[in-house]
Amino acid sequence: MRKIFLACVLGLLTGGTSSQAQPKLPYDTWYAGVIAPDHMEAWVESVDVIDRRGLAYERVNGGVPSYATTVAGWPSHPAGGAGKGVRGIDLPEIIFVRWQSLVEPQTYNVRINIPEWVREEMLKPQAPYCRGQKRVVEGMYRRFITIGLAPGGIAKAWVGGPCLQSIEIGRFEAAISKVGPYGGTSNGEHRPLSDKAKAYIEQHGVPYGSW
């Protein structure tokens, strides 16, 4: 009887997890992407998500961000960035990013609260004109969350999508990580800055305050 009882409990738990893992969205995945200003090199240690069901997902993204074509400020309508589609996770309520700003160097943690209006926007079907296809395309969505990471611990977030104008979510100031790079496992050593970025910064400096 005990084995049967345990099997039933495990079956219920498995079934509950399975149903939770499949959010009801009008698309298979939403996208979490990261960008950084040109020459302002960074290394993303982790992008973690708490979705609107309160479920937590660690390391949905990481690594080298895409670099914007601007050094000071941000592109007019950033959308995408380095990352991947987030499958099986409901729309985000909170996004945490831990990254190394290599030009300083410094390690930062930032919490990005996603307002309800952003999730509502991500669920609205759109019919934009797509220049690449030279026609109006039905059933498009703003399902890209793009996060910009800049020296000084500044982060900015937008919601956008293919052929759609990006909308700014907000600007956020990160905290310096108390444990340092790599969760305190590297004796304070950050990833090295590339020679190209180092030469640019030595000549032009870092445009703090422009982000």
Side-chain angles (χ1 to χ4, degrees):
M1 286 293 292
R2 179 176 174 80
K3 290 181 179 180
I4 294 173
F5 174 75
L6 287 174
C8 291
V9 170
L10 288 172
L12 288 171
L13 289 174
T14 303
T17 302
S18 177
S19 62
Q20 283 184 327
Q22 299 300 322
K24 294 182 179 179
L25 298 174
Y27 35 79
D28 292 335
T29 62
W30 58 276
Y31 188 91
V34 185
I35 64 173
D38 199 17
H39 302 293
M40 304 295 126
E41 293 181 345
W43 174 261
V44 181
E45 293 191 358
S46 180
V47 177
D48 307 322
V49 173
I50 297 178
D51 72 11
R52 61 179 174 177
R53 299 169 297 180
L55 300 180
Y57 299 86
E58 294 184 314
R59 294 179 175 83
V60 302
N61 192 1
V64 179
S66 295
Y67 290 103
T69 56
T70 58
V71 176
W74 298 105
S76 299
H77 303 293
K84 58 185 178 181
V86 182
R87 186 178 297 273
I89 302 178
D90 212 334
L91 298 181
E93 184 167 320
I94 305 172
I95 299 176
F96 299 94
V97 185
R98 183 175 68 254
W99 85 97
Q100 298 178 26
S101 175
L102 307 185
V103 304
E104 300 173 76
Q106 190 61 268
T107 304
Y108 294 103
N109 294 313
V110 69
R111 169 178 172 151
I112 298 172
N113 293 321
I114 305 297
E116 179 62 28
W117 70 261
V118 175
R119 290 184 289 276
E120 291 174 357
E121 193 66 41
M122 294 176 78
L123 295 173
K124 289 181 184 177
Q126 308 284 344
Y129 178 82
C130 290
R131 292 183 179 179
Q133 301 182 42
K134 297 181 180 180
R135 65 184 179 91
V136 171
V137 179
E138 301 281 348
M140 304 291 277
Y141 290 88
R142 286 188 172 93
R143 57 188 183 91
F144 290 177
I145 299 289
T146 303
I147 301 169
L149 303 174
I154 299 302
K156 209 165 192 179
W158 301 263
V159 59
C163 307
L164 293 164
Q165 190 175 40
S166 296
I167 303 172
E168 183 179 320
I169 297 172
R171 182 180 183 272
F172 306 86
E173 294 187 12
I176 294 174
S177 172
K178 294 180 180 180
V179 298
Y182 301 108
T185 61
S186 66
N187 295 320
E189 293 293 327
H190 291 79
R191 289 176 65 89
L193 188 66
S194 72
D195 291 340
K196 180 180 179 180
K198 185 177 180 180
Y200 179 91
I201 291 165
E202 287 176 349
Q203 182 176 358
H204 301 283
V206 179
Y208 291 106
S210 66
W211 302 295

